[in-house]
Amino acid sequence: MTPAARLQATLDLLSDIDSAARPADAVVSAWVRSRRHIGDRDRGAIIELLQTLLRHHARLGWWLAKQGRDATPRDRLLAWLVLGEGRTPERIRRLFNGAKAAPAALTEREQAFLTRLRGCTIVHPAMPDEVRLECPAWAEAALRRRFGAAFEAEMAALLTPSPLDLRVNPIRSTREAVLGGLKDLGLRPEVSRLAPYGIRLNERLSLARLDGLRTGAIEIQDEGSQLVALLVDARPGERVADFCAGAGGKTLAIAAQMANKGRLVACDVSEGRLKRCAERVRRAGFQNTETRLLTSETDRWVKRQKGSFDRVLVDAPCSGTGTWRRNPDARWRSPEEHGLDGLVALQGRILASAARLVKPGGRLVYATCSMLAEENENRVAAFLSAHPGFRVVPPREAAPGLAAAVEGAYLSLTPARHDTDGFFAAVLQREDPAPAAEGENGPPPGA
């Protein structure tokens, strides 16, 4: 592809993302599947530029408003080429020339707009902090409370490109073998700092080159997510439930902990996500795992299985603030239809219902990919107040191998401190002699 054609492809993708209700990564995946003829280098360059534009959404919007321009995909790209890449209006005009597969030729107004931006950079002293740090209004106050003096450092870390983290499936391969195979491809893999089966790649590459994804020898999983799965501490032969399994990333990691023995039930309210989970389970070679479609968090299955699981993981739906460097568009989507308060209420209902599955002496692990105390520490405190039969198990006790990553009662990971996605996890052990009776703590969630 010519440089101009790459720019036009980026524009097309950005327009699709602006008009779609789906997250950007889903739009990009569909785009890649429909354009397999595009080479790895071209595809990588297009996606990298797209991600850059998404990471600079607020700052580009600020500059465009200052210049009296609308924040269209075309204007955002034009502004970035000057402000971010330092290109001159003359160089840009040669690319936006209206030729085949190239962007339409610049208008006189666009040329004047680019001339006014010449010599400027993406950050301006007059920018408000929330614009400069790309922090949406709905999350700023909560994140400032969470991080205090470290707020700017954490926001800056969320603006860096995320690495590609892999987790080795120990029933298919070893970390040493996978590292060797990646080196044979000319890549420079690194052993993860904390996750025992983790490998990190800081290079951009086509995933089609990673044969282990097809055979189930490796899975794509952020190191922080791998550490959350380790906190479950599932043992061979136990009964384990992944209550919000989604497409099964943590399910697969837990199945490996169990050495393919025992019973692992992956639950979710989305049939599509569970189908994807089942496909990944089969590819990875696990026979100890099954899927369970739930109608809601209070599905009748939960009542029938009350008190029968050694471990229950609740990877709760959340605002996703911890994933912003990986999914930069997510920060500009409201967390849920009913706002953060509605999301927190849903988390409470899910956690209370999943707790019924835990047997005496068993453990409930509550996790989010959020960095907001409202969804994390505050949610756990509210649960413990309503469920005195549970106690907190510090991560150092629940998973001694994570001692280097944790301080205090909970696992709390951030991009600035740990170079992972932002994750929170609490391990809660049931110590009362029997599960709470139905309705003991008020009407069932959703009633």
Side-chain angles (χ1 to χ4, degrees):
M1 296 178 73
T2 65
R6 286 180 175 179
L7 292 178
Q8 182 58 52
T10 305
L11 273 178
D12 293 341
L13 254 179
L14 193 57
S15 297
D16 288 347
I17 290 168
D18 278 3
S19 60
R22 296 178 297 164
D25 60 347
V27 175
V28 171
S29 294
W31 181 84
V32 169
R33 288 195 299 271
S34 66
R35 292 165 175 80
R36 298 187 186 280
H37 61 282
I38 296 179
D40 290 351
R41 181 171 297 181
D42 289 323
R43 186 188 303 116
I46 292 164
I47 294 175
E48 184 173 357
L49 177 56
L50 173 72
Q51 290 287 318
T52 298
L53 293 169
L54 293 176
R55 282 197 298 272
H56 292 79
H57 176 86
R59 286 165 289 182
L60 289 171
W62 185 89
W63 272 109
L64 291 169
K66 182 178 174 66
Q67 296 295 327
R69 306 285 299 185
D70 294 330
T72 64
R74 181 177 170 97
D75 274 1
R76 279 145 64 191
L77 176 57
L78 287 171
W80 171 254
L81 293 175
V82 177
L83 298 168
E85 297 187 5
R87 302 200 194 197
T88 63
E90 293 75 19
R91 288 180 61 195
I92 296 171
R93 186 171 58 249
R94 289 196 291 270
L95 294 168
F96 283 68
N97 56 28
K100 183 179 179 180
L106 295 178
T107 66
E108 289 185 7
R109 287 192 65 211
E110 286 174 335
Q111 292 186 59
F113 156 62
L114 294 177
T115 299
R116 292 195 299 273
L117 290 182
R118 189 170 187 173
C120 300
T121 58
I122 190 66
V123 176
H124 189 281
M127 280 182 176
D129 287 348
E130 62 271 21
V131 172
R132 177 173 55 86
L133 298 171
E134 299 278 336
C135 185
W138 64 264
E140 183 186 3
L143 285 168
R144 284 188 182 276
R145 286 194 299 271
R146 165 70 175 82
F147 291 118
F151 172 73
E152 289 211 13
E154 291 291 350
M155 294 302 98
L158 285 168
L159 292 174
T160 60
S162 60
L164 176 63
D165 285 348
L166 306 173
R167 181 185 54 77
V168 177
N169 176 3
I171 76 163
R172 290 283 200 223
S173 189
T174 65
R175 185 156 68 171
E176 291 70 25
V178 172
L179 285 168
L182 294 172
K183 291 175 182 176
D184 289 343
L185 293 174
L187 302 173
R188 298 183 299 277
E190 302 172 1
V191 172
S192 296
R193 278 198 307 144
L194 300 167
Y197 296 104
I199 293 174
R200 173 161 292 186
L201 289 169
N202 289 297
E203 305 156 78
R204 298 298 174 193
L205 73 156
S206 169
L207 297 181
R209 296 179 63 191
L210 302 180
D211 190 58
L213 291 175
R214 180 184 58 80
T215 64
I218 55 175
E219 295 285 343
I220 297 173
Q221 187 177 24
D222 181 80
E223 184 178 13
S225 179
Q226 296 181 45
L227 299 181
V228 170
L230 284 175
L231 272 187
V232 177
D233 192 33
R235 312 291 177 83
E238 289 185 334
R239 286 169 57 86
V240 181
D242 186 352
F243 199 67
C244 304
K250 295 181 182 67
T251 303
L252 294 168
I254 294 169
Q257 287 178 29
M258 300 171 70
N260 216 1
K261 299 174 183 178
R263 182 189 182 202
L264 173 57
V265 184
C267 308
D268 205 90
V269 295
S270 168
E271 185 174 8
R273 289 194 293 260
L274 282 184
K275 284 184 177 178
R276 172 68 177 137
C277 176
E279 292 169 2
R280 296 174 73 187
V281 165
R282 284 194 295 271
R283 185 176 63 226
F286 293 114
Q287 288 84 44
N288 66 334
T289 304
E290 62 188 79
T291 58
R292 167 66 60 171
L293 180 64
L294 303 180
T295 57
S296 72
E297 69 273 8
T298 55
D299 190 278
R300 291 181 181 275
W301 177 84
V302 178
K303 183 177 180 179
R304 293 196 300 269
Q305 299 292 322
K306 185 169 58 177
S308 62
F309 284 87
D310 299 281
R311 299 285 189 271
V312 177
L313 170 63
V314 175
D315 184 14
C318 68
S319 62
T321 53
T323 69
W324 284 352
R325 68 173 184 171
R326 191 172 304 281
N327 303 305
D329 61 305
R331 69 185 71 205
W332 306 115
R333 295 195 302 269
S334 177
E336 281 290 332
E337 180 183 352
H338 301 295
L340 188 59
D341 289 345
L343 189 55
V344 167
L346 173 62
Q347 292 160 356
R349 295 196 301 270
I350 292 173
L351 187 54
S353 186
R356 293 181 292 164
L357 295 171
V358 183
K359 65 167 55 173
R363 289 178 180 175
L364 174 66
V365 179
Y366 173 72
T368 74
C369 54
S370 169
M371 299 188 298
L372 305 183
E374 289 82 350
E375 299 180 271
N376 298 335
E377 293 90 348
N378 296 1
R379 179 78 346 248
V380 172
F383 172 81
L384 291 173
S385 177
H387 299 80
F390 282 84
R391 72 170 178 91
V392 175
V393 180
R396 288 172 179 264
E397 178 184 336
L402 297 185
V406 295
E407 297 175 2
Y410 307 122
L411 179 72
S412 184
L413 305 171
T414 74
R417 289 187 296 132
H418 303 96
D419 198 18
T420 67
D421 284 355
F423 276 99
F424 172 88
V427 181
L428 310 169
Q429 183 160 309
R430 180 187 285 282
E431 297 200 318
D432 57 348
E438 187 75 24
E440 178 180 322
N441 295 295

